[in-house]
Amino acid sequence: MKATRTILIGLVSVAAALAAGHLVAGLVSPLASPFLAVGNTAIDLTPHPVKDFAVRTFGENDKLVLLAGMAVVLAGLGVVAGLVSRRSPWPGTVLAGALGLLGVAAVLARPTTTGWSVIAPLASLVVGVAAFRWLWSQAPAVAPGRRRFLLSTAAVAAGAGVAAVGGQWLAGRVDVEASRRGITLKPGDTAPEIPFGADFAREGTPPFITPNDKFYRVDTALSIPRLRAEDWRLRLHGMVDNEMVLTYDDLLRRPLVEKTITLVCVSNEVGGPYISTSNFIGISLPDLLREAGVRPGADQLATRSVDGWTCGTPVASIMAPGSNAMLALGMNGEPLPLERGFPVRMVVPGLYGYVSATKWLVDAELTTFAAFDPYWAQRGWGKKAPVKVMSRVDRPKSFERVPAGRFVAAGIAWAQHTGIDRVEVRVDGGPWQQTTLSTEVNVDTWRMWRIELDLAPGNHTVECRATDRKGYTQTNDRAAPIPDGATGWHSMVFTSV
């Protein structure tokens, strides 16, 4: 049989298998899609340096790149299945079966697997093998049967397309946006108005409040969970005196507060973009834990997302005076956007997000660090991860050409819970010069800085460093983000002309 025909058989069979699994997953659970399950397992098993490279290189598009890469690999396997089956369908059948079993194993390995979940990858396995066998039987050894083969292949491909669209529709049939639109959040304790002079946005810093669609996103979710507020439940249990199950309406009946908070991702390199600030609306997490009654010895709040991701937060950080830890329902005056954690997420200022900011929250257990290792702790990351004192140059940009003479450099700094005392800048290794700081909003948010420099024509390097109110000046010792946050002075190389 011609190689082009068997290659086409392999490609169409792979497409049919994936579409069948996606369709059935739309009926039982979107997380049961074998394609997504394999992708999530790949994320879990990817070595840290590769993950860091993906985040640095592709940013929030890292998941799209992963899915596209998986599609390319599966297409390649379809080509291989076809090439090794020119004389007999059995090699391709075995390969199709192996891929199907891989999907079954990936779904079974997910923390959200239920008894029904395995139906999706089994459907993928059966359809993939059946499509390959049937199309191979339709492929002619000679030219006269070519029309029948093409019609058969087109029919399977069309069926795969319909199944894929149907699966996508079924997965998105829960009208989460309608649920969001029906919510009005009215905090009794609103955040103070952002004062004039809180940022130097006209001189190159970010605006003080990050718009919701610009807020950074770094997480492990290949597909955004779709959970209506009406269906949301939070189980609070473990080392507590009073176990609780809370609905969204239960939260709305509690006093809502609004706090201006900066969140930082541990993946943020020195000078990186993964830091944003919002007015979060929610309920006090310390008050909730006090109501539940935290038993002596409980030092970790283990939280779980609806997609199975786990997080561990130090109880001491949550319960510290003025911690501002909350279960957040909204940000910047509206319910949480889906990708930011709707219906409910956790926000604990002063800790990197991987230990403090569980999105799509559905479970919270009081436990100990000795008894439970959450997702990233299992992979060797730090367990407590306080945010480090840092600063960043936002203007000039790297390799930017700026006018010689008087020039305004600007940037941001942060030292959560303590506050920024000063930021200093130096040019070309010269003396440190103190910058002008923006009006402080609170110690849990970033603070902007600016300085006027006199620049001679030529190439220059500008560096910055921050000092907090306890007198600690950020170190220039370079450390990678993993396991508990990057360190080092940020610098920009630019040219004045």
Side-chain angles (χ1 to χ4, degrees):
M1 190 183 301
K2 290 185 177 180
T4 52
R5 293 174 184 172
T6 54
I7 288 174
L8 184 58
I9 290 170
L11 290 172
V12 172
S13 299
V14 167
L18 293 176
H22 200 58
L23 176 63
V24 175
L27 291 169
V28 297
S29 167
L31 296 175
S33 169
F35 185 62
L36 295 179
V38 170
N40 282 315
T41 301
I43 289 175
D44 293 349
L45 298 178
T46 299
H48 298 324
V50 178
K51 288 181 181 177
D52 295 343
F53 170 79
V55 172
R56 287 197 310 271
T57 306
F58 305 112
E60 294 187 12
N61 295 316
D62 58 341
K63 299 170 188 65
L64 181 61
V65 172
L66 171 64
L67 292 174
M70 286 173 54
V72 170
V73 170
L74 288 171
L77 291 173
V79 170
V80 171
L83 287 175
V84 298
S85 302
R86 295 181 64 186
R87 289 183 172 82
S88 167
W90 282 108
T93 301
V94 171
L95 183 54
L99 288 175
L101 291 174
L102 176 64
V104 172
V107 170
L108 289 175
R110 304 312 304 161
T112 54
T113 296
T114 66
W116 294 102
S117 299
V118 75
I119 297 176
L122 286 176
S124 187
L125 188 159
V126 171
V127 169
V129 170
F132 188 89
R133 298 284 299 187
W134 185 69
L135 289 176
W136 200 94
S137 71
Q138 300 298 302
V142 293
R146 183 168 176 263
R147 178 180 176 83
R148 183 186 66 179
F149 169 68
L150 291 176
L151 288 174
S152 299
T153 304
V156 174
V162 170
V165 171
Q168 195 65 24
W169 179 82
L170 288 169
R173 69 188 184 277
V174 177
D175 196 348
V176 180
E177 286 298 341
S179 179
R180 285 187 73 245
R181 289 192 298 269
I183 296 169
T184 301
L185 300 175
K186 296 181 179 179
D189 180 9
T190 58
E193 185 176 349
I194 304 301
F196 178 79
D199 65 45
F200 299 130
R202 292 184 178 180
E203 296 176 312
T205 71
F208 191 85
I209 295 295
T210 308
N212 287 352
D213 62 342
K214 302 296 184 183
F215 206 95
Y216 79 86
R217 180 192 170 202
V218 178
D219 54 49
T220 63
L222 274 180
S223 61
I224 296 172
R226 301 179 62 84
L227 181 61
R228 299 191 314 157
E230 297 88 333
D231 302 324
W232 179 84
R233 300 288 185 275
L234 173 67
R235 182 185 176 212
L236 178 57
H237 61 109
M239 297 174 67
V240 295
D241 296 327
N242 306 299
E243 290 196 5
M244 307 169 71
V245 176
L246 299 165
T247 67
Y248 197 86
D249 284 342
D250 290 334
L251 299 191
L252 291 179
R253 284 189 285 268
R254 291 170 176 267
L256 292 180
V257 298
E258 183 179 45
K259 302 291 183 182
T260 308
I261 296 170
T262 294
L263 294 185
V264 190
C265 180
V266 73
S267 297
N268 215 34
E269 298 278 353
V270 173
Y274 301 124
I275 177 170
S276 303
T277 300
S278 177
N279 285 323
F280 286 100
I281 300 171
I283 70 162
S284 167
L285 183 54
D287 286 352
L288 183 64
L289 295 188
R290 277 190 283 268
E291 184 177 331
V294 180
R295 292 178 182 171
D299 59 7
Q300 178 179 211
L301 180 66
T303 51
R304 185 180 299 273
S305 168
V306 71
D307 65 357
W309 185 81
T310 54
C311 170
T313 309
V315 172
S317 297
I318 296 172
M319 305 303 289
S323 77
N324 287 331
M326 66 165 64
L327 297 186
L329 288 71
M331 54 194 295
N332 294 335
E334 65 178 66
L336 292 169
L338 269 63
E339 66 274 15
R340 313 300 171 200
F342 181 83
V344 179
R345 69 175 295 164
M346 205 164 76
V347 174
V348 183
L351 302 176
Y352 287 115
Y354 79 97
V355 298
S356 68
T358 306
K359 295 188 281 190
W360 314 293
L361 176 67
V362 294
D363 190 86
E365 179 184 4
L366 269 299
T367 182
T368 66
F369 282 105
F372 177 73
D373 281 338
Y375 184 91
W376 286 116
Q378 295 172 24
R379 290 154 178 82
W381 292 27
K383 290 189 175 184
K384 299 185 179 180
V387 173
K388 297 176 179 178
V389 179
M390 289 292 288
S391 58
R392 184 181 82 189
V393 179
D394 285 272
R395 183 184 187 219
K397 300 297 184 185
S398 183
F399 302 110
E400 182 180 0
R401 295 169 68 86
V402 305
R406 185 57 59 94
F407 174 79
V408 176
I412 62 174
W414 58 97
Q416 289 185 307
H417 291 338
T418 307
I420 291 293
D421 181 68
R422 66 181 183 273
V423 176
E424 299 165 294
V425 164
R426 69 178 181 182
V427 179
D428 300 330
W432 289 102
Q433 305 175 57
Q434 192 157 324
T435 67
T436 299
L437 296 178
S438 65
T439 303
E440 185 178 67
V441 173
N442 64 58
V443 295
D444 285 333
T445 60
W446 54 14
R447 198 169 183 188
M448 317 304 186
W449 58 265
R450 69 181 296 277
I451 187 171
E452 295 184 5
L453 301 172
D454 290 313
L455 299 174
N459 297 325
H460 300 287
T461 299
V462 60
E463 299 171 283
C464 65
R465 68 181 186 185
T467 300
D468 69 15
R469 289 216 175 94
K470 291 182 178 179
Y472 174 79
T473 299
Q474 70 177 97
T475 178
N476 192 32
D477 293 336
R478 281 277 174 162
I482 308 307
D484 60 359
T487 61
W489 297 338
H490 187 219
S491 64
M492 285 289 187
V493 177
F494 65 102
T495 303
S496 58
V497 293

